[in-house]
C-alpha cells in the first residue's frame, strides 16, 4: 500500500467541516450542497478501499442526520465514529 492511500490532514478537515455543516443545516435541502461535495470526494480521492467504504458510511449517516430528523443524536454519534475511523494519525498529518 502506498502512502497516498491515506487521507491528508487537509482532506480530513474538509470532510469533517462538510459533515458538521450538513448536520447543522436547517433542512435537508440546505444540507444537500455539503453532501454532494462529500459524495464527490468519496468518488475521487485516492484512498484505500477501506477508507472509501468508511467515507461512504459517513455520508449515509450525515444524510440521515441532516435537517430536522428524529433520533438526530444517534446519527451524529454514528457519523462521529466514522470520522474517528477516517482521522489520519499525527504523522500522516505532518504534525508532531
Amino acid at each position: 500500500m502506498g502512502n497516498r492511500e491515506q487521507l491528508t490532514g487537509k482532506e480530513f478537515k474538509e470532510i469533517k467541516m462538510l459533515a458538521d455543516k450538513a448536520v447543522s443545516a436547517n433542512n435537508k435541502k440546505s444540507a444537500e450542497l455539503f453532501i454532494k461535495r462529500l459524495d464527490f470526494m468519496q468518488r475521487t480521492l485516492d484512498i484505500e478501499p477501506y477508507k472509501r467504504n468508511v467515507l461512504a458510511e459517513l455520508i449515509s449517516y450525515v444524510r440521515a442526520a441532516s435537517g430536522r430528523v428524529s433520533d438526530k443524536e444517534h446519527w451524529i454519534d454514528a457519523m462521529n465514529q466514522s470520522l474517528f475511523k477516517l482521522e489520519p494519525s499525527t504523522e500522516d498529518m505532518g504534525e508532531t
Side-chain angles (χ1 to χ4, degrees), residues 14-82:
E14 182 177 358
I15 289 167
K16 183 173 181 355
M17 180 268 305
L18 291 166
D20 289 342
K21 286 189 175 197
V23 298
S24 63
N26 291 332
N27 54 53
K28 291 202 181 279
K29 185 174 181 180
S30 299
E32 194 56 33
L33 177 68
F34 306 114
I35 294 170
K36 283 183 179 182
R37 174 67 182 155
L38 286 168
D39 277 333
F40 175 78
M41 292 178 80
Q42 192 266 337
R43 290 189 319 272
T44 60
L45 285 176
D46 183 21
I47 54 177
E48 63 182 296
Y50 169 75
K51 297 277 186 180
R52 188 173 310 285
N53 288 339
V54 171
L55 185 50
E57 173 184 86
L58 170 93
I59 294 166
S60 296
Y61 297 146
V62 168
R63 197 170 265 127
S66 66
R68 296 178 187 204
V69 295
S70 61
D71 213 9
K72 188 173 186 100
E73 285 306 312
H74 164 78
W75 295 115
I76 291 174
D77 287 344
M79 175 193 85
N80 286 329
Q81 288 176 10
S82 293

